[in-house]
Amino acid sequence: MFGTVVVGVGIAGLARIRDLMNPMPSSPSEHLKLFGFVSRRSFGNINEVKQISLEDALRSKEIHAAFISTENRSHEETIRMFLEAGKHVLVEYPMALSAKAARELWEMAEQKDKILHVEHIELLTEEYKQLKKEVAGKDLVKGTLHFTGCVLDENKTGFPAFSGIARLTWLIDLFGDLTVTSATREQQKDKNYSRMTVHFQTANK
């Protein structure tokens, strides 16, 4: 069995705990053993999974990998700690708030001979696979992707572009490398409203 720990118990972290506790039959998850979860808040146990300290998770010889599901700004530091401790890391996107930091983390994982995987679960859904089949072999002339959500705390999540990074990953996976041709941002703080509009161009214009 491959020992794991979940770091962060927001929506994504709780989903990780649920899935690790109830793996699909004959899936690789059946070989993972959840030893606990780490959180700044005090919970005790969640669904019979015990809370452990970050220090214990880093030191434990039984824990081989960490699933990081914290707010965006803490991803980089947490990844570094677990790689330094000799653990494999799976992190929810984005891995870091800068490309420079992301490259450093990839290099660190290679030096440590550890897996560093950025998870984008949406690319594995049946709906997305169907969408990819529908666009295969076709030329994109023009398109719009409209994504809505709540206004996020930029101190925790980073610049608004990071809130939509998953959708950008969709577009690159579907249509190849993209170039940003323009980007604008509109804010109405009194209405708690923010909107970012970005125009991209494919390699063949």
Side-chain angles (χ1 to χ4, degrees), residues 71-94:
E71 66 273 7
N72 294 347
R73 69 173 177 181
S74 68
H75 286 182
E76 179 186 346
E77 181 185 3
T78 311
I79 291 168
R80 286 185 192 280
M81 286 191 290
F82 277 96
L83 287 177
E84 284 285 1
K87 318 287 187 191
H88 302 287
V89 176
L90 179 146
V91 62
E92 305 289 344
Y93 59 78

Side-chain angles (χ1 to χ4, degrees), residues 22-37:
N22 301 284
M24 292 181 66
S26 302
S27 72
S29 296
E30 285 192 316
H31 302 287
L32 301 177
K33 180 177 181 181
L34 181 59
F35 276 91
F37 68 89

Side-chain angles (χ1 to χ4, degrees), residues 151 185-196:
V151 178
R185 184 182 182 190
E186 176 190 349
Q187 273 187 300
Q188 296 177 25
K189 291 192 175 178
D190 57 325
K191 296 181 180 177
N192 203 27
Y193 174 83
S194 177
R195 171 175 171 163
M196 178 172 249

Side-chain angles (χ1 to χ4, degrees), residues 46-204:
I46 295 178
N47 297 335
E48 299 180 9
V49 180
K50 67 179 179 178
Q51 183 168 0
I52 61 176
S53 70
L54 177 61
E55 293 74 20
D56 286 346
L58 292 167
R59 279 197 305 261
S60 174
K61 290 192 174 9
E62 294 181 300
I63 293 174
H64 307 103
F67 291 77
I68 299 174
S69 305
T70 56
E71 66 273 7
N72 294 347
R73 69 173 177 181
S74 68
H75 286 182
E76 179 186 346
E77 181 185 3
T78 311
I79 291 168
R80 286 185 192 280
M81 286 191 290
F82 277 96
L83 287 177
E84 284 285 1
K87 318 287 187 191
H88 302 287
V89 176
L90 179 146
V91 62
E92 305 289 344
Y93 59 78
M95 176 167 43
L97 297 187
S98 76
K100 179 177 180 287
R103 282 192 291 270
E104 289 173 359
L105 292 170
W106 285 124
E107 289 168 5
M108 185 178 180
E110 282 190 11
Q111 290 165 4
K112 298 279 186 183
D113 197 26
K114 297 299 171 188
I115 294 169
L116 172 55
H117 173 70
V118 184
E119 182 76 299
H120 187 354
I121 198 74
E122 292 171 359
L123 297 185
L124 305 176
T125 63
E126 291 306 315
E127 293 88 345
Y128 182 80
K129 289 176 184 175
Q130 183 59 38
L131 176 62
K132 193 161 184 177
K133 281 181 189 173
E134 288 174 13
V135 303
K138 296 177 182 174
D139 289 325
L140 175 67
V141 178
K142 188 175 183 181
T144 301
L145 180 65
H146 185 203
F147 171 62
T148 60
C150 60
V151 178
L152 300 173
D153 181 348
E154 287 187 33
N155 289 325
K156 293 182 178 178
T157 60
F159 191 68
F162 281 94
S163 306
I165 199 97
R167 275 71 203 175
L168 178 57
T169 309
W170 278 27
L171 294 176
I172 292 172
D173 188 58
L174 291 170
F175 304 112
D177 287 344
L178 302 171
T179 301
V180 178
T181 58
S182 67
T184 57
R185 184 182 182 190
E186 176 190 349
Q187 273 187 300
Q188 296 177 25
K189 291 192 175 178
D190 57 325
K191 296 181 180 177
N192 203 27
Y193 174 83
S194 177
R195 171 175 171 163
M196 178 172 249
T197 304
V198 185
H199 293 97
F200 300 104
Q201 198 169 65
T202 61
N204 62 3

Side-chain angles (χ1 to χ4, degrees), residues 6 8-22 34 46-47 67 69 92 121:
V6 171
V9 287
I11 294 172
L14 290 172
R16 292 278 176 208
I17 290 173
R18 179 200 65 209
D19 293 345
L20 287 166
M21 293 298 290
N22 301 284
L34 181 59
I46 295 178
N47 297 335
F67 291 77
S69 305
E92 305 289 344
I121 198 74

